Amino acid sequence: MDENFRKLNIHFDIDALTEAYEYAVDTIGFSSGLVNCISLTHPADSDADQRGVFWTKNENYEEVQVERFVNELAYKVFEPLLMETYFKNVYDVLKKHFKVGRVRILKMDSRTSLSYHRDPENRLHIPIVTNPGALMIVNNECMHMPADGSVYFMKTIDYHTALNGGDKPRIHLVATILDENLEDELYAVYGGD
């Protein structure tokens, strides 16, 4: 792995993650619309924004902004309906190590892909359900992340995409990270593979 992906020395119980995921689907369900999402965090005074700003390139290879900015710092309220699940434990552990913004469960249906884009912040990914055809590509580097409780740093401030070429949905817990000098902190504290 290089700077685009980094497996961190943080590990969660995959069975507990799966159980929490199933409870969240039964209790809240995925949002409808462009993003299959269950928001684990919300702003105190408004609903969760499931998309947020990103940049892509048009047919002339010019960068264009899509959507609007989201105040990631406002996402401090953990979803009350999931307070007693393992997701709260995961959230608390991530908050000890990182300054986090939105934390969501994202579902990618089979045989689909995302646009090639870049985000304003980097992300942590924790695969919960996956298959061999579920891949992430950052700066032309491709990686499959198994659903084994591992946490992965992804350099999503650079151009990237995700695809699910498998027959089953791919489910990841995704956390926006807002730390300054994150690269130095990740290397010093977590090392990784």
Side-chain angles (χ1 to χ4, degrees):
M1 279 184 241
D2 71 22
E3 73 229 22
N4 299 313
F5 303 97
R6 193 165 295 140
K7 183 177 177 180
L8 305 181
N9 290 330
I10 303 173
H11 194 270
F12 295 105
D13 182 322
I14 190 61
D15 293 329
L17 284 167
T18 302
E19 182 180 318
Y21 161 69
E22 290 169 355
Y23 181 82
V25 170
D26 290 344
T27 305
I28 298 173
F30 283 99
S31 62
S32 58
L34 293 173
V35 179
N36 287 322
C37 172
I38 299 173
S39 295
L40 300 183
T41 58
H42 305 272
D45 58 353
S46 64
D47 291 333
D49 188 329
Q50 296 170 356
R51 271 179 67 91
V53 71
F54 61 94
W55 294 269
T56 189
K57 293 187 179 182
N58 65 21
E59 63 277 357
N60 296 317
Y61 293 83
E62 299 166 332
E63 189 168 73
V64 293
Q65 180 178 320
V66 180
E67 300 293 338
R68 61 183 178 84
F69 281 94
V70 170
N71 180 5
E72 296 280 350
L73 292 172
Y75 284 73
K76 295 181 181 187
V77 178
F78 191 82
E79 171 56 55
L81 295 173
L82 302 176
M83 194 65 77
E84 301 300 319
T85 69
Y86 190 65
F87 287 145
K88 179 64 165 87
N89 176 312
V90 171
Y91 177 67
D92 290 343
V93 169
L94 295 179
K95 276 185 18 177
K96 284 181 188 174
H97 298 289
F98 301 99
K99 187 183 209 180
V100 296
R102 290 180 296 167
V103 181
R104 304 169 287 166
I105 305 300
L106 297 177
K107 175 181 168 186
M108 176 174 270
D109 289 325
S110 65
R111 298 181 179 158
T112 60
S113 66
L114 296 179
S115 65
Y116 192 59
H117 68 283
R118 70 179 180 86
D119 299 313
E121 314 88 8
N122 290 311
R123 307 280 195 260
L124 298 175
H125 277 248
I126 304 171
I128 300 171
V129 177
T130 192
N131 65 74
L135 304 169
M136 300 291 297
I137 301 168
V138 179
N139 290 323
N140 301 318
E141 179 188 3
C142 184
M143 181 181 184
H144 168 73
M145 295 175 270
D148 62 5
S150 297
V151 180
Y152 295 87
F153 164 81
M154 284 191 49
K155 193 173 183 184
T156 54
I157 61 171
D158 286 352
Y159 274 88
H160 64 281
T161 187
L163 61 97
N164 182 4
D167 291 330
K168 306 263 187 213
R170 182 210 82 168
I171 311 297
H172 282 197
L173 185 151
V174 179
T176 301
I177 46 179
L178 308 171
D179 299 69
E180 297 288 327
N181 300 315
L182 182 62
E183 287 294 313
D184 294 337
E185 181 179 335
L186 284 169
Y187 182 75
V189 176
Y190 300 109
D193 295 345

